[in-house]
Amino acid sequence: MKIQIEDKEFECMLEYDQIKKRIRLIGIQMNVDYEEKVPVFVGVLNGSFIFMADLIKEIDISAEITFIKVSSYEGDASSGLVKKVIGLDYDLKNRDVIIVEDIVDTGATMGFLLEEIYKHKPASVRICTLLLKPDALQHEIPELTYTAFEIPNDFVVGYGLDYNGLGRNLKDIYRAIHVPSET
Ligand code: IMP
């Protein structure tokens, strides 16, 4: 099914059932990896709110959850200008932190965020991202431990991800259809 958001047309790329199955597996892995620990899940708003809600339901060890906000994006092209982190007031000292992100594109946002989080002297930091665009990645991120799906360099919306603020409420994930430019 195709959908239209403002000037862009999108087609379904990942259905909710597929996403749920993958999240269940990540949850199982985390329950093992953090068996003796009480990790703090740090969700990156706005994009991660649905992913976090589904992921945390698969976690059956003790865990805490908090959210922060950092935005670096205007429209559909990464600006590279990362703004400041809002809401990083949770005590992360000596804690095992799991950053939950909707998508890692160039990795610039994550690089900045990691720097800020390390200032709080956590015991460990790992990243869990719903989507990763490996071909767009420009920064090494050794903390990237859990990736639900690797995707091509398409622009995607749905399941928390937006295009100019729209599309976050879509249950599935959609990719922008490239229309060949007229000559
Ligand atoms: P990065 O700093 O280039 O890794 O970009 C990360 C941020 O850009 C994500 O947290 C998203 O908010 C946004 N972003 C990157 N790619 C997409 C996309 O395909 N759709 C929607 N948002 C995206």
Side-chain angles (χ1 to χ4, degrees), residues 40-42 64 66 68 88-98 116-118 120-125:
V40 185
F41 286 80
V42 179
E64 294 170 31
T66 187
I68 54 167
L88 194 50
D89 44 17
Y90 211 84
D91 188 8
L92 299 177
K93 195 169 175 10
N94 295 326
R95 301 300 307 270
D96 295 295
V97 173
I98 303 173
E116 295 297 306
I117 285 187
Y118 279 123
H120 294 247
K121 308 242 180 296
S124 71
V125 182

Side-chain angles (χ1 to χ4, degrees), residues 150-176:
E150 292 193 355
I151 61 165
N153 266 356
D154 295 322
F155 186 78
V156 292
V157 291
Y159 195 73
L161 292 125
D162 74 306
Y163 174 47
N164 287 340
L166 299 171
R168 292 194 199 276
N169 52 314
L170 295 163
K171 199 169 181 184
D172 306 315
I173 294 174
Y174 291 78
R175 84 163 133 235

